[in-house]
Amino acid sequence: MKALPEGFLWGGATADFQFEGGFGEGGRGLLSHDYETNGSVEHPRHHTLKMPDGSIIHPRSSFFYADPVPEEAQPVFLDDEYYPSHQAVDFYHHYKEDIALMAGMGFNVFRFSVCWSRIFPTGDEEEPNEEGLQFYDDVITEMEKYGMQPLITICHDEMPMELALKYDGWSSRHVIDCYVKYAKTLFERFGSRCKYWLTFNEINAVRGFGPCGTRGSDSQTHYQAVHHMFLASAKAVRLGHNMMPGSMFGAMYALSEIYPATCKPEDMFHHMRCRRESLFFVDTMARGYYPGYTGDIFTRRGVKGIKVHKDDGDILRAGPLDFVSFSYYRSNTVAAGDDFNVIGGSLNPYLESTPWGWPVDPLGLRYCMNEIYDRYQKPIFIVENGLGAADELTDEGTVEDDYRINYLRDHLSAMAAAINEDGVDCLGYTMWGPIDLVSLSTGEMKKRYGLIYVDMDDLGHGSLKRYKKKSYDWMKHIIETNGAALDEAGD
Ligand code: BGP
């Protein structure tokens, strides 16, 4: 197979509250995700909150779904619950070892998110927390030893808890200023060492308490919050360009492909509308203005207009993105009338699914890359992809994960075809969770993506020791040949 263009970025991606741990250390403040329990497909994870009468409520809250949170409810930690973000897989204390392991595969980029409440513990301080900044300084220094550059996610579905409680999260315009102050602090500190930045993670998938920090999860609240996030992103992009000439900004979207269930015109039309619900976010942020179909989405979602200030249009126009990045795990299929919210819809009879019900579709990645590049004519960056599977550690201290090798080989081959044959300009590929980490949607450890196994169970028990899986050497070989070995690997 033809190698990928020279300078292609190969790496992995993580999120602080799923990977880092270090809860209560280094001056870190509380984060919205800190109150989220573990869970599973059958038992959705939830927040633990106390009502004034002492009763405990458990609203579900994660991306894709969220229950509303009563105004008088206050977060509380319960002794009999497990909160995965507190330890995660403890990158905080393992970062040297983890970076060396990633470098061992030849990664030249590492996408990580900065924990907002590690830098501004409540989000509202005037001065940042130096210990928090120093931690990421140390991480980048360690990466640089191996020639690995950072791709920094400024905000990965999270916010300091205080901002959520005090201002109802992104409902408030004040949070825009808090975010810009936080972004500016990162640019000042890391700007000379980081070229690629993501303003938000999966901004098209976040909902309610936690991700958007809002207590309401209805569409009215949601799209108002999203408007504020658009403004915050545009302001950060503009500021970043001014402060760091040559820097490149993206935001990250969950763009798992969508197909119409049949060629029936009603299915086709519904499919277009569903795709637009995701692309609405990219259209606005990549182009710098709301698309013409915004009113259609608002009407169908019951949004009665949102509050805007007169210079909001100028702010959006001044900060369009430089590249479009996305996560791709699966495709979805929709028939007319299907309820669809970023994922979901009908069964695709042509695809097999993972045990977590995610249809596996490598060609969908090639389709998606072409679709996005055609639509925006901006470079793209695949910043998440991978297979969540229940791995078994063998007595020899490895995992025979041929299923993961097959998944990655098929997706990377599809990506290579989009680049080499279809002419898509793609900056790089950072697989999700190169070292096992906590699942976002279910809060489990059992759903593992890594090429490196972490000895830890769903309740945080284990030695946290790292073991190379079979896929580790496979990935190393793919990277050292810059993709040319993709057709010789696997069955
Ligand atoms: C994306 C998120 C990640 C992540 C990944 C896999 O949506 O950006 O944070 O975890 O999906 O999802 P899960 O962990 O639910 O398997």
Side-chain angles (χ1 to χ4, degrees), residues 15 18 63 156 201-202 252 329 358 384 432 438-442 447 449:
Q18 295 171 264
F63 62 176
H156 194 116
N201 182 70
E202 291 193 342
M252 195 281 222
Y329 291 94
W358 292 19
E384 281 186 33
W432 178 247
V438 177
S439 159
L440 175 67
S441 54
T442 61
K447 190 180 184 189
Y449 286 87

Side-chain angles (χ1 to χ4, degrees), residues 173 176-177 223-235 284 288-290 306-320:
R173 283 186 84 100
I176 301 174
D177 298 336
Y223 282 98
Q224 184 66 60
V226 161
H227 178 64
H228 296 153
M229 292 165 90
F230 285 163
L231 295 172
S233 174
K235 283 186 164 199
T284 309
Y289 55 87
Y290 275 96
I306 51 168
K307 288 186 215 120
V308 294
H309 288 191
K310 67 172 181 341
D311 58 349
D312 285 359
D314 296 336
I315 295 172
L316 292 181
R317 258 187 302 279

Side-chain angles (χ1 to χ4, degrees), residues 53-66:
D53 65 2
S55 60
I56 302 293
I57 58 168
H58 301 100
R60 290 180 314 160
S61 182
S62 190
F63 62 176
F64 306 133
Y65 56 74

Side-chain angles (χ1 to χ4, degrees), residues 29-140:
L30 290 168
L31 202 63
S32 48
H33 281 287
D34 291 341
Y35 293 91
E36 221 179 348
T37 65
N38 63 323
S40 64
V41 174
E42 299 77 31
H43 302 286
R45 56 193 319 206
H46 51 261
H47 277 102
T48 48
L49 299 151
K50 199 174 190 167
M51 297 297 281
D53 65 2
S55 60
I56 302 293
I57 58 168
H58 301 100
R60 290 180 314 160
S61 182
S62 190
F63 62 176
F64 306 133
Y65 56 74
D67 295 327
V69 174
E71 218 180 305
E72 57 285 14
Q74 289 298 322
V76 64
F77 291 125
L78 303 176
D79 290 343
D80 56 352
E81 294 277 12
Y82 177 64
Y83 301 92
S85 72
H86 299 197
Q87 172 177 265
V89 294
D90 199 28
F91 174 70
Y92 193 73
H93 296 107
H94 288 77
Y95 72 92
K96 290 190 179 172
E97 177 190 353
D98 288 351
I99 289 167
L101 279 164
M102 290 191 274
M105 284 183 285
F107 281 11
N108 51 19
V109 63
F110 172 39
R111 173 186 171 218
F112 61 88
S113 69
V114 173
C115 173
W116 189 344
S117 63
R118 202 175 273 297
I119 308 302
F120 287 96
T122 68
D124 237 354
E125 294 85 352
E126 281 309 312
E127 294 302 321
N129 168 34
E130 173 53 32
E131 258 189 283
L133 288 168
Q134 189 57 49
F135 170 65
Y136 296 106
D137 239 340
D138 294 344
V139 166
I140 297 174

